[in-house]
């Protein structure tokens, strides 16, 4: 099964995205449907479908995503004010794109808990 998602196409510049950061391991771009004044997605260039698929050899790249989040926060000047990073996994986590990505949300106070329960009819 191919690991290719829309994010692979963004990495390969096959579809447009508003890219704000790039290095050898990762890419960060603006979410197309922002849930905060600043909503970025920080992704590894290497496709990993879900958190469940992270292996021992992926440890560096997965840790790197958090390093990039902190770097971007400082660059944007939101580091002291605060922000949220979150990674969704599979159906109950609300994952829709199966290439792991760190959501970076900033620019407004975040609520907790972060979910809305779906009530049964
Ligand atoms: P998740 O639901 O955690 O898998 O998050 C997927 C995110 O990708 C959603 O917040 C979408 O708005 C975002 N997204 C989907 N397609 C694109 C795209 N082409 N460019 C930027 N963001 C996208």
């Amino acid at each position: 099964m191919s690991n290719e998602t829309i994010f692979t196409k963004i990495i390969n510049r096959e579809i447009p995205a508003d890219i704000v950061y790039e290095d050898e391991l990762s890419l960060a771009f603006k979410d197309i449907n922002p849930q905060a004044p600043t909503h970025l997605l920080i992704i590894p260039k290497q496709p990993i479908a879900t958190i469940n698929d992270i292996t021992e050899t992926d440890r560096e790249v997965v840790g790197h995503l958090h390093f990039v989040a902190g770097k971007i926060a400082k660059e944007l000047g939101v580091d002291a004010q605060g922000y949220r990073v979150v990674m969704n996994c599979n159906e109950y986590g609300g994952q829709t794109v199966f290439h792991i990505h760190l959501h970076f949300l900033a620019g407004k106070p975040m609520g907790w808990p972060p979910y809305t329960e779906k009530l049964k009819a």
Side-chain angles (χ1 to χ4, degrees):
M1 196 178 85
S2 168
N3 268 351
E4 282 226 354
T5 68
I6 198 159
F7 290 175
T8 303
K9 290 187 167 53
I10 290 175
I11 293 164
N12 294 334
R13 277 30 178 210
E14 289 163 14
I15 61 166
D18 200 339
I19 294 169
V20 299
Y21 177 85
E22 180 169 23
D23 62 28
E24 70 283 3
L25 295 176
S26 68
L27 191 72
F29 52 92
K30 292 186 182 171
D31 195 295
I32 206 166
N33 183 24
Q35 302 301 314
T38 299
H39 185 174
L40 308 175
L41 300 173
I42 306 171
I43 70 171
K45 287 188 171 172
Q46 163 198 347
I48 302 168
T50 77
I51 296 174
N52 299 327
D53 301 299
I54 295 169
T55 65
E56 195 74 23
T57 52
D58 301 325
R59 283 164 44 152
E60 183 193 349
V61 68
V62 175
H64 185 72
L65 302 181
H66 280 87
F67 166 74
V68 170
K71 195 175 162 72
I72 288 175
K74 288 181 205 107
E75 277 170 18
L76 295 178
V78 298
D79 51 326
Q81 187 177 54
Y83 54 96
R84 177 168 294 166
V85 292
V86 62
M87 189 178 285
N88 299 327
C89 183
N90 278 340
E91 184 187 354
Y92 277 22
Q95 185 176 8
T96 58
V97 179
F98 290 87
H99 179 134
I100 60 166
H101 46 281
L102 210 53
H103 291 263
F104 178 101
L105 299 137
K108 70 173 184 182
M110 305 290 154
W112 193 266
Y115 56 83
T116 307
E117 287 203 42
K118 287 181 184 163
L119 299 174
K120 286 186 183 145

